[in-house]
Amino acid sequence: MPIPGGEITTSDIWVKPAEEITATQPLILGLDFNINPMSCVVMTQTKQGLHAIDEIIIYSSNTNELVEEVRNRYPRNPITCYPDPAGVQRKTSANGNTDIRLLEQAGFTVRYHRQHALVKDRINAANSLFHLRDDNSTRFYIDPKCKETIRSLKNYSFKEDTQIPDKGVFDHFFDALTYPIEYLFPI
């Protein structure tokens, strides 16, 4: 499934229902900080890669509301976040805290690069996980209920004749998904 612009359907090998998680199973969150929408992909680590099991989309939101929703859904699970590195910037709406600090105060482990990884590096890392192996397996799966993430992967694109991402509707979940992929499985 080469991305961007790769066609994804529920019949694809990558779309597979997640196994039920336990209340103490470690979870990975990929986060793209936005007000509209706050975008989060919830994943589990497998022996070979990752399985996207859930997504959180909150409009007109903030990091505190995201933390609250994560804890409503996963009250006891250990959480490791791989957010947009821009989350280190102070926000006046957060009483001088950063988005990263708010995640840490919630008890989440936070891992991120000090600078944004190149988009092409995130795409290449994702493609390496999505690559179909000789045995028709892959190192990445996505639960069919992750509709916005699937839609994002299916429709992510570049501005015409460039390698500049076309920012707008489809980049938020793509970004949220690829921050942890590039961090955990760099090329």
Side-chain angles (χ1 to χ4, degrees), residues 1-2 13-14 125-140:
M1 173 184 66
I13 188 114
W14 303 275
N127 278 332
S128 76
L129 285 188
F130 299 171
H131 180 72
L132 200 57
R133 299 186 291 190
D134 290 340
D135 65 353
N136 280 340
S137 69
T138 181
R139 296 187 305 147
F140 176 81

Side-chain angles (χ1 to χ4, degrees), residues 63-177:
T63 304
N64 288 320
E65 287 183 357
L66 175 69
V67 166
E68 182 179 350
E69 182 59 24
V70 168
R71 280 304 173 207
N72 285 338
R73 294 183 191 195
Y74 307 103
R76 295 193 326 243
N77 296 79
I79 304 287
T80 302
C81 299
Y82 296 85
D84 179 347
V88 298
Q89 299 168 0
R90 287 204 169 124
K91 307 282 183 168
T92 57
S93 61
N95 295 325
N97 277 324
T98 67
D99 290 315
I100 301 291
R101 185 70 187 124
L102 293 172
L103 296 171
E104 291 170 340
Q105 288 172 343
F108 300 162
T109 301
V110 183
R111 303 274 184 256
Y112 61 97
H113 295 299
R114 299 295 174 204
Q115 296 180 20
H116 279 93
L118 296 174
V119 174
K120 69 180 180 179
D121 290 344
R122 289 191 285 126
I123 290 171
N124 288 334
N127 278 332
S128 76
L129 285 188
F130 299 171
H131 180 72
L132 200 57
R133 299 186 291 190
D134 290 340
D135 65 353
N136 280 340
S137 69
T138 181
R139 296 187 305 147
F140 176 81
Y141 293 99
I142 186 167
D143 192 283
K145 74 179 176 184
C146 299
K147 293 181 185 339
E148 289 301 315
T149 308
I150 292 170
R151 194 167 73 104
S152 180
L153 287 170
K154 189 175 177 180
N155 293 292
Y156 187 85
S157 65
F158 295 104
K159 293 180 180 181
E160 191 171 338
D161 296 324
T162 74
Q163 292 186 19
I164 299 168
D166 192 359
K167 293 291 192 179
V169 177
F170 302 113
D171 59 316
H172 302 303
F173 275 95
F174 172 83
D175 289 345
L177 178 68

Side-chain angles (χ1 to χ4, degrees), residues 27-71:
L27 298 177
I28 294 168
L29 303 184
L31 304 171
D32 190 33
F33 300 113
N34 293 293
I35 295 170
N36 276 319
M38 175 69 74
S39 304
C40 173
V41 180
V42 181
M43 293 172 269
T44 57
Q45 193 150 8
T46 65
K47 289 180 183 177
Q48 294 82 22
L50 296 170
H51 196 140
I53 63 166
D54 197 5
E55 63 187 13
I56 299 171
I57 183 168
I58 309 173
Y59 288 91
S60 299
S61 189
N62 57 54
T63 304
N64 288 320
E65 287 183 357
L66 175 69
V67 166
E68 182 179 350
E69 182 59 24
V70 168
R71 280 304 173 207

